[in-house]
Amino acid sequence: MNKTITLPKDVVYLLDTLQKGGYEAYIVGGCVRDSILGRTPQDWDITTSALPEQTKALFPHTFDTGIQHGTITVVCHKTNYEITTYRIDGDYRDGRHPDSVAFTPNLEEDLLRRDFTMNAIAYHPEKGFQDPFHGQEDIAASCIRGVGAPAKRFQEDALRMLRCVRFAAQLGFSVEPDTYKALQENASLIEKISVERIHEELDKLWKAPFSEKLPLLLESGLLPHIDSLFAKRMAEKGERLIPLLKATPPLSLLRWTLVLQDYTEKEAKEFCKKLKFDNTSARNIQTLLRYLAKELPKTPYDVRKLAGELGIEMTNHLFLLWEILGHDVSFLRSLLEKILSDGDCLNLKSLAVNGQMLMDAGIPKGKEVGQILSLLLADVLENPSHNTEAYLMELVRAKKH
Ligand code: ATP
Ligand code: MG
């Protein structure tokens, strides 16, 4: 394979500067893999023989990111680039992190510590590809293969197993049989990995385009070691989830809500707590699940009420999820559009009267104010034209007598 990779100007500058400083430097990892695949790399990582302090001395704007692992961030035209010294990882006694890392002047040793052959390719515009583990061949064959002995590599860092499934779903690759066997045999080790890292990988997995690879998560045996109820529900859903995910935009909120669609609100709350979701995401997932379990709105009043309770963005999310689950929501969408273009009042904030006005009209401060405001809002949601101070205050006066 004689492909070349077109590098951004900044990356050429970084490689040149390191080289002029007397060091070796290559792009490496995900950016090489993605470039070979014709995908746009998310970021450009550089691996170099320069020690962190030597890298820092060559560039005006740097900061320490993971200096204990040899990584320096160089800022170039407001973009961050990670430059990492060639390194060998020591033993992994905890199944998560190396006990120590050692720097090495040898690129191949650095590539050896990487997880999969497709992620262990280095490239330099003049020196070409450095690919001792034949990652390019595996990429051409759409194959994920562990570097070295896969069982040992998964035992070192169990997160690699989940990365393997995630890459399969992101790239549409299959897992090489020995790598897959090692994954199945070591699946229980995923319990050593922090929920934050598991959450992050699962999030990428749901958003990945090749959802047909999702069954790997269960078949590999990983899922029961992440959460038993979750594993049970995923098994029950089976392949039905695949077309649903494929039909949904790759937004975390929508994809997680679909994945948890058969959860009660309470079950979802516990799951989100266990997987350490941020509060907003957890709340939004629960809200969508709560409304998905209800009947679809039917009348303009229902849609105004819903949009008032949820806000416009969440209402649109809900409509989309209902649609993906097989309901016809075109009528609801046009109702919402009309409601918005008419500028109908949807909540207390845009009601023509407020609590102070009621108190000024003699309603005693306290519970009653809230109750009356709710009644007025219900009236306005039914009849948007009633949302004038004159009409509503008249209604209040009439009710007082
Ligand atoms: P993406 O960023 O698209 O998720 P990536 O391959 O760039 O994919 P990163 O997590 O950014 O993944 O890591 C960059 C590189 O570091 C990988 O390509 C791989 O070579 C190496 N790497 C990352 N995590 C591990 C790991 N757990 N074990 C071994 N090597 C790893
Ligand atoms: Mg990356």
Side-chain angles (χ1 to χ4, degrees):
M1 228 173 299
N2 270 327
K3 267 188 160 176
T4 55
I5 297 179
T6 309
L7 304 181
K9 276 202 183 74
D10 285 351
V11 176
V12 173
Y13 154 77
L14 296 170
L15 293 177
D16 278 354
T17 308
L18 284 157
Q19 211 174 348
K20 286 193 188 108
Y23 310 107
E24 289 179 19
Y26 293 85
I27 57 164
V28 71
C31 62
V32 178
R33 178 198 68 223
D34 288 343
S35 299
I36 293 173
L37 282 166
R39 294 161 52 101
T40 309
Q42 290 179 6
D43 35 39
W44 296 84
D45 293 333
I46 291 174
T47 186
T48 179
S49 59
L51 295 171
E53 293 304 326
Q54 294 169 326
T55 299
K56 275 166 63 171
L58 289 173
F59 299 101
H61 302 291
T62 68
F63 57 91
D64 297 357
T65 351
I67 198 156
Q68 68 281 24
H69 298 116
T71 303
I72 295 295
T73 298
V74 176
V75 188
C76 205
H77 297 112
K78 296 192 179 152
T79 305
N80 291 353
Y81 297 92
E82 289 197 347
I83 302 187
T84 305
T85 305
Y86 295 166
R87 101 185 182 217
I88 302 171
D89 293 340
D91 289 343
Y92 282 77
R93 268 176 301 190
D94 62 359
R96 280 181 299 199
H97 308 105
D99 301 337
S100 60
V101 303
F103 299 133
T104 165
N106 183 335
L107 171 65
E108 191 162 331
E109 286 184 323
D110 178 85
L111 296 176
L112 189 61
R113 74 169 168 92
R114 295 174 185 271
D115 47 5
F116 304 109
T117 60
M118 62 180 185
N119 290 343
I121 311 170
Y123 175 83
H124 183 279
E126 282 138 33
K127 298 181 198 157
F129 291 96
Q130 306 294 313
D131 184 12
F133 312 110
H134 310 289
Q136 292 170 94
E137 281 169 33
D138 283 331
I139 291 175
S142 303
C143 171
I144 305 175
R145 183 194 304 269
V147 170
K152 176 168 173 275
R153 305 311 308 285
F154 292 147
Q155 285 153 15
E156 284 173 354
D157 176 1
L159 187 72
R160 291 172 186 156
M161 297 188 286
L162 205 46
R163 281 172 61 87
C164 181
V165 174
R166 186 259 287 184
F167 282 127
Q170 279 183 330
L171 307 173
F173 280 22
S174 46
V175 185
E176 178 274 322
D178 282 345
T179 304
Y180 191 56
K181 186 165 168 274
L183 203 167
Q184 286 181 308
E185 286 169 3
N186 290 282
S188 66
L189 299 178
I190 198 70
E191 290 177 15
K192 296 187 178 214
I193 300 299
S194 72
V195 286
E196 288 90 342
R197 294 174 86 193
I198 289 178
H199 179 159
E200 203 180 312
E201 285 300 324
L202 288 178
D203 190 73
K204 290 182 182 173
L205 179 58
W206 313 139
K207 290 192 285 192
F210 296 91
S211 314
E212 60 273 23
K213 298 286 178 183
L214 278 185
L216 278 177
L217 193 59
L218 259 180
E219 288 162 14
S220 62
L222 285 171
L223 216 42
H225 297 285
I226 293 174
D227 185 273
S228 56
L229 177 66
F230 190 53
K232 185 168 160 271
R233 293 284 167 82
M234 289 293 274
E236 284 162 5
K237 277 198 282 284
E239 308 220 329
R240 267 177 298 148
L241 185 59
I242 298 170
L244 300 181
L245 287 176
K246 276 185 178 282
T248 311
L251 288 179
S252 295
L253 172 60
L254 294 178
R255 298 257 172 135
W256 272 109
T257 305
L258 272 183
V259 168
L260 297 173
Q261 191 219 328
D262 44 7
Y263 270 53
T264 64
E265 211 185 321
K266 187 163 167 274
E267 286 168 342
K269 188 174 178 185
E270 276 164 26
F271 181 83
C272 289
K273 196 167 162 207
K274 177 169 171 184
L275 258 76
K276 300 208 173 143
F277 280 68
D278 65 87
N279 291 339
T280 310
S281 306
R283 194 167 356 100
N284 286 342
I285 291 171
Q286 287 160 51
T287 303
L288 288 173
L289 288 174
R290 179 162 74 248
Y291 281 84
L292 280 176
K294 294 185 188 192
E295 289 214 353
L296 268 71
K298 289 190 184 65
T299 62
Y301 167 86
D302 293 341
V303 175
R304 286 187 205 104
K305 186 163 181 291
L306 183 72
E309 285 167 6
L310 284 186
I312 307 307
E313 194 185 15
M314 284 285 277
T315 304
N316 278 317
H317 284 337
L318 185 63
F319 287 178
L320 187 60
L321 289 170
W322 265 321
E323 185 172 49
I324 288 159
L325 293 168
H327 298 281
D328 181 1
V329 294
S330 49
F331 169 68
L332 296 177
R333 285 217 176 93
S334 40
L335 268 180
L336 182 63
E337 212 171 293
K338 173 148 185 356
I339 286 165
L340 293 178
S341 69
D342 289 352
D344 291 355
C345 162
L346 303 176
N347 49 38
L348 289 179
K349 250 191 285 170
S350 44
L351 197 68
V353 302
N354 59 31
Q356 190 56 53
M357 290 153 97
L358 294 184
M359 289 186 284
D360 291 347
I363 310 287
K365 195 175 173 178
K367 221 166 64 183
E368 206 182 333
V369 173
Q371 284 166 347
I372 294 177
L373 285 173
S374 298
L375 286 174
L376 296 179
L377 178 62
D379 184 278
V380 165
L381 289 175
E382 197 71 69
N383 301 290
S385 66
H386 289 181
N387 193 29
T388 65
E389 184 180 342
Y391 181 92
L392 295 176
M393 289 312 288
E394 186 48 43
L395 204 63
V396 174
R397 273 180 225 113
K399 283 212 161 90
K400 258 170 65 182
H401 300 295

